[in-house]
Amino acid sequence: MIKELSVKAKSANRKAHVISTACLIAAAVLFVTRLIVNRFVGIIDLGTIGCITASVFLYTKYISSNYYYETMITTDGEPLFLVRRLTGKRSTTLCRISFAEILSIKAESAEEFKKHKTPRGVVKYLYTPTLFPEKVYRINMRSAYERAEIVIECSDEFAALISAWAREARANREDDE
């Protein structure tokens, strides 16, 4: 029986904090260097802007954002899987797919994740709260509009629940047709 559920994905490590802080420190060092050195100021300024940009990107994607994996049932009775990102007071729906469109969900280690090649014509979405996670789940889905791989970071129990609900939703869709 599919029911509504919301799970907050938590970051498994602090790598994003460390790298973001290192980028800010590097930007500060480059800025001070630019004030002292009279040569190569354009290159030093470019490096400063690059470090600040990297730090802001890491902060907004991994540090200040909270990811939620949710299930919801529409008024038509169709179960949906959603991924939401909450940054400050702004909530953004990043992913909204029917459970019947989920073909498989597979656990991957960090090594398997790095080695995986996404097939041509398949879109890849990465919704993990951790920079360089140790374990992820790859959801393969196919809808009338696209084929996609959705990478999330969740518990084994939640992944098993998604898989079971996807099988149930596909069976219900086949019964309706």
Side-chain angles (χ1 to χ4, degrees):
M1 177 73 181
I2 301 172
K3 58 184 176 184
E4 293 190 357
L5 178 68
S6 179
V7 174
K8 180 180 179 184
K10 296 183 180 178
S11 180
N13 61 40
R14 296 184 48 84
K15 290 178 185 175
H17 290 275
V18 172
I19 295 172
S20 179
T21 303
C23 286
L24 280 179
I25 291 170
V29 168
L30 285 170
F31 182 74
V32 170
T33 303
R34 187 218 189 273
L35 296 176
I36 297 170
V37 177
N38 291 331
R39 300 178 72 183
F40 309 113
V41 289
I43 294 172
I44 293 171
D45 286 345
L46 188 62
T48 303
I49 290 171
C51 288
I52 291 171
T53 303
S55 180
V56 168
F57 171 76
L58 290 170
Y59 180 78
T60 56
K61 181 156 173 66
Y62 295 105
I63 299 169
S64 69
S65 296
N66 295 312
Y67 287 87
Y68 292 89
Y69 308 133
E70 301 177 354
T71 60
M72 101 179 229
I73 299 174
T74 64
T75 55
D76 299 339
E78 183 172 8
L80 300 176
F81 175 73
L82 293 105
V83 177
R84 294 187 197 272
R85 181 175 65 196
L86 183 67
T87 306
K89 293 182 181 180
R90 171 182 265 169
S91 178
T92 307
T93 301
L94 303 173
C95 172
R96 182 177 181 216
I97 59 171
S98 170
F99 271 100
E101 296 170 345
I102 296 174
L103 302 175
S104 66
I105 181 166
K106 179 185 166 212
E108 292 181 353
S109 66
E111 190 70 26
E112 292 170 328
F113 178 67
K114 287 177 191 175
K115 288 182 180 179
H116 178 78
K117 295 281 186 191
T118 302
R120 179 171 278 227
V122 176
V123 182
K124 179 180 168 185
Y125 299 103
L126 183 65
Y127 302 128
T128 59
T130 306
L131 182 65
F132 309 125
E134 293 298 318
K135 184 178 182 181
V136 295
Y137 286 91
R138 185 177 305 275
I139 300 172
N140 292 304
M141 61 83 59
R142 179 179 291 164
S143 70
Y145 307 104
E146 73 176 344
R147 290 178 47 205
E149 294 178 343
I150 301 164
V151 180
I152 64 171
E153 189 177 359
C154 63
S155 67
D156 295 335
E157 296 82 16
F158 188 70
L161 194 60
I162 291 172
S163 182
W165 285 353
R167 282 192 301 274
E168 182 180 335
R170 282 194 307 273
N172 289 342
R173 184 177 275 184
E174 289 172 2
D175 290 343
D176 291 343
E177 293 176 354

